[in-house]
Every structure is written in structure tokens, then in C-alpha cells.
Amino acid sequence: MLRKKTYFVHDCMAFQLRSLLVILRQRRLLPDNFSKDQPMAYETLLFDVTGNVAHITMNRPDVYNAFRGTTCVELVKAFGRAGYDSDVGAIVLTGSGDRAFCTGGDQSDHDGQYAGDRGIIGMPIDEVHSIIRDVPKPVVAKVRGYAIGSGNVLATLCDLTLAADTAIFGQVGPKMGSVDPGFGTAYLARVVGEKKAREIWYLCRRYSAQEALEMGLINAVFADDELDAEVA
């Protein structure tokens, strides 16, 4: 019976990987001749695989790792790449530097609509949310500094969220005249409860790492100099 269950789980993961590859190719996020060994250039991310762990780093520290339309497209590609690589067992999402994990959409990067390379209005952040939830590998958020707005949403969506004791979480949508277009409202309510989720969105307060831990928004808090070793 155990052997049958093992085969079933393996078959399900193989099906997920094939389905993910088809979707990414249909959306032209991966080339038809894609190979995990094929180098892929990123403008706003860093991507590397160490051992069996893929590390995806949002690399715009000068703007607190706020993302552009290009960043969203690259995140989908990077998660797709890591998800399809059978040698990768887990994915770590983080931000460059120690000031911020991510602070959401770059407000300086649009004039009426966010810039990007796909000819659409707005950024495909919903696709980023979907692939974080759908990729058949556990995703760990490693958070230092600010995780604000859509950055807070990304940290929430990951399977596990580990934070430095200097991390700060919160939403800013109502202050900016926007609301999350993806998983950041309903899923947040599932994580911290309906009342707390409304407080986070309505009041736009900022929460320390310890407060985030106590409400169930994250899994663990470590001293900043211990975070990397704990995630590894």
C-alpha cells in the first residue's frame, strides 16, 4: 500500500511539472526548447541553485526591492524554472540587502499604468501569486527589513515565512488607492483570520516580526545574523 501511495504522489508531481511547463510555454515565459541547464538572464532578479535549493532574490535594493512589471515576468520565469528542475527540492524567495524583502509595486515606474514588456495594463502580479501557490516545491520566504504592501502579500503566500527580528510587515493599499488584485486578501484571512485581516488592510498598521509571529503571519523569528543559517 505504501509503495502504491508513493507511486501516486510521484505521478501527481510529474503531472504538475508537465502542466506547469505547458502553461509557461503557452504564455511565452519559457522557450519551447527550454532546458534546466540553459542559462537565463534576469534584469531585476538574482537566481542560483545551491545544492538542491533554488534561491530567487529580488534585486532592486535602491528602491527597497519594489518590483516593476519586468520583475513580475521574471519572477514567474524563475519560479517556473525552479519548479521544473527535478534537482531542486525547495525554493527560497528573498530580497537583496538588509533594508527590505520587498515593498510592493514601484510607484516611480509608471505613468498611468505600470511599465512592462508584455503590452498589458498593470503588472501580472496575479500570475506571480498563482505560481508561488502552484509550483510543486515548498517555497520559503526569507524576510529582512520591510515586507510592505505586495511585499507582505508575497511573504504571506509562501509555504513558510522566516524572518529576522528587524523585519516589519504591513499593508498600504488603502493609502495608495489600491487593493491587492490576487491572493492577498482572501488568503490573508485564511492565514490570520477574518478580523485580523481586515485590521491589516483597513488600518495599514506596521507590525514587528514578533507581532507577525504571534498572529500567525510568519513561522519563526531569528536574530538577523542567524537567519541565513536557519533558512539553509
Side-chain angles (χ1 to χ4, degrees), residues 37-223:
D37 298 319
Q38 179 180 345
M40 187 175 290
Y42 299 98
E43 179 183 338
T44 64
L45 303 180
L46 300 176
F47 180 93
D48 71 89
V49 178
T50 303
N52 298 108
V53 179
H55 297 265
I56 300 173
T57 303
M58 293 170 281
N59 188 35
R60 306 189 73 220
D62 54 324
V63 289
Y64 292 85
N65 296 315
F67 51 73
R68 307 164 51 211
T70 299
T71 312
C72 292
V73 173
E74 291 183 345
L75 281 169
V76 175
K77 290 180 179 179
F79 273 100
R81 183 184 187 90
Y84 184 68
D85 188 344
S86 59
D87 292 331
V88 170
I91 303 169
V92 173
L93 176 65
T94 191
S96 183
D98 58 8
R99 296 192 301 169
F101 169 76
C102 175
T103 54
D106 185 351
Q107 298 301 302
S108 68
D109 192 55
H110 67 95
D111 181 13
Q113 67 182 51
Y114 286 102
D117 60 359
R118 297 178 62 188
I120 61 173
I121 296 176
M123 294 184 288
I125 190 64
D126 56 320
E127 295 182 27
V128 178
H129 293 179
S130 293
I131 200 165
I132 290 175
R133 299 303 306 158
D134 293 343
V135 67
K137 311 286 174 68
V139 181
V140 180
K142 183 173 70 173
V143 181
R144 281 189 171 91
Y146 292 106
I148 299 295
S150 287
N152 181 61
V153 173
L154 294 181
T156 302
L157 290 178
C158 293
D159 297 297
L160 297 173
T161 303
L162 308 182
D165 53 10
T166 55
I168 299 173
F169 300 84
Q171 292 299 145
V172 293
K175 289 185 177 181
M176 306 300 295
S178 68
V179 68
D180 182 83
F183 288 60
T185 49
Y187 188 76
L188 180 65
R190 289 175 58 186
V191 172
V192 300
E194 291 279 352
K195 289 291 187 179
K196 200 66 179 181
R198 285 186 172 88
E199 174 191 310
I200 291 170
W201 271 101
Y202 293 176
L203 304 184
C204 297
R205 291 174 176 169
R206 294 184 179 181
Y207 303 89
S208 69
Q210 187 60 40
E211 289 173 320
L213 178 65
E214 291 170 359
M215 74 173 78
L217 186 64
I218 65 177
N219 297 94
V221 180
F222 303 100

